[in-house]
Amino acid sequence: MKCFVGLDISSTKLDVCIMTNDIEMKVLFSATFGNDIIGASEIKEQVLRFNDIYHFERIVIGMEATSLYSFHPAIFFHEDSELKQLRVEVMIEQPAKIKKYREAFEENKNDTLDAFYIADYFRIERFTKSYLKEEKYNALQHLTRTRLQLIEQLVRTKQHFIENIYYKCNTLSIELKNHQLSTNIWSATIMTLMVEDYTLDELASLPLEKFVELIQKLGRGKFKAPDKLAKAIQAAITGSYRLSHVQQDSVNTVLSLLAREIRSLEKMIKEIDRAIEDMVEVLPEYQCLTSVPGIGKVFAAGINAEIGQIDRFKDHPQVAKYAGLNWKENQSGNTSSQNTSLVKRGNRYLRYYLVEAADSVRRHNVEYAEFYKKKDEVPKHKHKRAVVLTVRKLVRLVDVLLRNHQLYTPPRRSMEDN
C-alpha cells in the first residue's frame, strides 16, 4: 500500500489530506494546521503514526509550487531525519497542472477539497518526479532573483527618467543620434546636467570652450569627443520647447528623484554582483559554465541557481521546457502551422539568465554568431526566432557541460573556415 499526502499551502495555514492508493482510495486524515513548524510537525507525526499501522511501501508528500509559501514546508519534510529513514518523497508540481486536474470534477472549491485533489493528483502517479534543490542553490537563488528584480526596477526607472527628460528637453535624444554619439540619456554626465543646478538657458549660453570643460569635469575626462557632445546638447536646448516655471519645477523635482533612484539601484546591483561572485565560487558547476566565452560569473550563477542539480532533469528538452523555451504545437489534420508561440509558462528567472547568456555568447563565440545569423534569415519574427533558437542551442551545451562536469572546448574549424 502507498500513502499520498496532499498539502494546500497558503501564507497562514496548511490544509492536509492523507490517502492511500488501495481500491477504496481511503482518506486516512484531513485537517488544517498553521503554516509554521508546529503545524508541519503535527503533519509529520500523522504520517509516522499511519506508517506504523499500515507499513507503506511508498510515501509521497505533494504540494503546489507556490514559491514563497511552499518553501519552508518543502524543506522541512525533505530534510526531516525520521522521514528520510522512510524514504519519503517530497514532490512539488506546477499549480497549472493540478488546476486542470481539479477542473475535471464539478464540485465546490474550498481549501479542504483542494488538499484532497492535490493528494489524488499524486495518487494517480502521472507527475514527473522532481528533486528539491540543495541548500547552496537556494541560497544563491535569493541573490540572483533579487538581482533580476533590481534590474527590472532599474529599467522601469530609466524609462520614467527618459519620459521626463522629454518634457524638459524634447529633442535631446534626437540630437545625440544626429551627432552620432553613443552617450545615453541616463549617463552620469547627462543626468547631472539635466538634474543639477543648471537651467537650460544657462547651458545654452555657455561658450563652447566652457561647456566642453564642464563636460570633461563631470565625465572625469572620459569623453573622446566632448565638443560634439556639447554641440549636441546646446542644439537640443535651442530646438526644444520651453516649459512654464511651475511645470519646470515639477519636472526638475521628478528628474532629481529618479536620478537618485537610478544611482542607488546601480550601486545595489554592483553590491549584489559582488555577493554573487563570492558565493558562486563554492559551486563546481560555475567553472563549467564560465568556460564558455561570454558567460560570466553572474550569468553562470543565475543559471546554476535555477537549475540546481542537473540530475533533476531527464534531458535538455526538459530543461528548456522548465524555462518556458518550448513552442505550442498548432496542428490540425495534415497541416502544421509555422506561426507558433512560446509557452512561457516556465521559470522566468531561468529564461532571463539563459536569454541574456545566449545573447552574450553570440557576441563572443563565432559558432553561435553564425548560428544566430543563419536563423535570422526568415520572413517573420527574425530576431525573436533567432534568439530563442540560439538559447535552445545554449541549453543543449549547458546540459552537456553540467551533466558531464566538463569545461567547454571550442569546435575545431577547418582551414576553409579560417
Side-chain angles (χ1 to χ4, degrees):
M1 183 185 296
K2 300 177 183 179
C3 173
F4 296 90
V5 182
L7 292 179
D8 184 55
I9 302 173
S10 68
S11 60
T12 58
K13 61 180 182 174
L14 300 171
D15 291 283
V16 59
C17 177
I18 303 177
M19 67 170 58
T20 64
N21 72 326
D22 57 7
I23 298 176
E24 298 178 1
M25 195 186 70
K26 187 185 299 181
V27 174
L28 302 178
F29 182 78
S30 180
T32 298
F33 300 98
N35 188 358
D36 51 35
I37 196 167
I38 298 172
S41 297
E42 181 58 36
I43 293 172
K44 183 194 83 169
E45 293 302 323
Q46 293 294 336
V47 172
L48 295 176
R49 182 170 70 86
F50 285 119
N51 185 68
D52 290 339
I53 299 172
Y54 296 101
H55 305 289
F56 298 119
E57 61 183 87
R58 185 187 187 189
I59 301 175
V60 175
I61 299 178
M63 64 194 77
E64 294 178 330
T66 54
S67 185
L68 184 62
Y69 301 147
S70 62
F71 175 80
H72 288 299
I75 296 297
F76 174 86
F77 293 118
H78 179 68
E79 297 295 336
D80 185 83
S81 57
E82 291 181 277
L83 295 179
K84 277 187 175 181
Q85 291 179 0
L86 301 178
R87 297 182 179 178
V88 171
E89 302 169 64
V90 179
M91 300 293 173
I92 300 178
E93 185 58 277
Q94 295 179 24
K97 290 186 177 181
I98 295 178
K99 181 182 178 183
K100 286 185 179 294
Y101 179 78
R102 170 73 177 79
E103 289 173 348
F105 305 91
E106 294 182 1
E107 294 192 33
N108 296 327
K109 176 175 170 43
N110 58 60
D111 294 335
T112 303
L113 274 175
D114 286 345
F116 170 84
Y117 282 112
I118 291 172
D120 196 44
Y121 172 84
F122 285 95
R123 181 188 63 83
I124 63 175
E125 299 189 55
R126 294 294 299 275
F127 58 91
T128 301
K129 190 169 183 177
S130 60
Y131 299 90
L132 292 179
K133 284 185 287 191
E134 295 176 6
E135 182 181 19
K136 58 186 178 182
Y137 300 109
N138 287 320
L140 182 60
Q141 188 181 82
H142 289 308
L143 296 175
T144 55
R145 288 193 171 190
T146 299
R147 181 186 185 275
L148 175 55
Q149 291 161 4
L150 291 174
I151 291 289
E152 291 172 338
Q153 187 176 345
L154 179 60
V155 170
R156 289 193 297 269
T157 305
K158 284 184 173 181
Q159 183 59 42
H160 198 186
F161 186 85
I162 292 173
E163 292 169 359
N164 281 273
I165 281 288
Y166 186 85
Y167 284 116
K168 184 170 185 175
C169 188
N170 66 289
T171 63
L172 180 58
S173 61
I174 297 172
E175 291 297 338
L176 291 176
K177 289 181 181 178
N178 289 343
H179 286 74
Q180 298 179 339
L181 294 166
S182 59
T183 306
N184 293 318
I185 286 179
W186 53 80
S187 73
T189 300
I190 297 291
M191 287 173 62
T192 302
L193 290 172
M194 292 294 114
V195 170
E196 300 298 337
D197 296 330
Y198 302 104
T199 67
L200 294 183
D201 291 333
E202 287 173 345
L203 294 176
S205 62
L206 271 178
L208 183 61
E209 297 78 8
K210 293 288 186 181
F211 201 1
V212 170
E213 288 178 11
L214 176 60
I215 287 175
Q216 284 293 70
K217 179 182 176 181
L218 295 175
R220 298 177 182 178
K222 295 180 180 178
F223 289 104
K224 294 180 180 179
D227 54 331
K228 287 181 65 177
L229 179 58
K231 290 177 181 178
I233 295 173
Q234 289 189 328
I237 294 172
T238 303
S240 293
Y241 295 101
R242 291 292 187 269
L243 294 174
S244 67
H245 181 71
V246 175
Q247 287 179 311
Q248 185 67 66
D249 286 346
S250 68
V251 169
N252 286 340
T253 300
V254 171
L255 285 173
S256 179
L257 292 172
L258 293 174
R260 289 208 300 270
E261 184 177 357
I262 289 171
R263 290 166 185 151
S264 176
L265 287 169
E266 289 176 339
K267 182 180 177 181
M268 292 167 67
I269 291 168
K270 287 181 180 178
E271 289 179 6
I272 207 165
D273 281 351
R274 287 194 293 269
I276 288 172
E277 290 178 4
D278 290 341
M279 183 172 288
V280 83
E281 297 286 348
V282 304
L283 298 178
E285 297 95 334
Y286 103 93
Q287 293 181 342
C288 300
L289 296 184
T290 53
S291 66
V292 181
I295 299 184
K297 289 185 178 180
V298 172
F299 289 160
I303 295 169
N304 277 152
E306 299 303 330
I307 290 179
Q309 312 94 283
I310 192 63
D311 293 338
R312 296 170 65 229
F313 303 94
K314 182 177 68 175
D315 49 28
H316 69 82
Q318 198 173 79
V319 175
K321 187 175 181 180
Y322 179 66
L325 292 167
N326 58 310
W327 289 267
K328 294 178 181 178
E329 185 177 7
N330 188 3
Q331 184 269 336
S332 179
N334 295 324
T335 304
S336 294
S337 174
Q338 298 299 312
N339 193 17
T340 57
S341 58
L342 279 178
V343 173
K344 285 191 178 180
R345 261 204 320 245
N347 184 318
R348 77 179 187 93
Y349 297 97
L350 178 57
R351 184 165 62 248
Y352 165 81
Y353 281 109
L354 284 171
V355 169
E356 291 297 311
D359 197 44
S360 178
V361 168
R362 75 178 177 88
R363 295 196 298 268
H364 293 81
N365 187 304
V366 175
E367 178 191 358
Y368 279 78
E370 292 176 350
F371 181 85
Y372 171 86
K373 185 177 180 181
K374 181 179 178 181
K375 299 303 178 182
D376 190 38
E377 297 171 352
V378 292
K380 278 190 174 183
H381 315 300
K382 289 187 176 184
H383 175 67
K384 288 184 179 180
R385 182 178 184 276
V387 166
V388 172
L389 290 173
T390 305
V391 177
R392 286 299 298 264
K393 179 178 174 66
L394 180 64
V395 169
R396 293 194 291 272
L397 176 62
V398 167
D399 184 81
V400 169
L401 296 181
L402 296 183
R403 212 171 288 278
N404 298 331
H405 306 286
Q406 70 183 63
L407 301 179
Y408 173 73
T409 303
R412 293 183 178 179
R413 301 176 68 84
S414 66
M415 294 297 294
E416 295 179 358
D417 295 332
N418 296 326

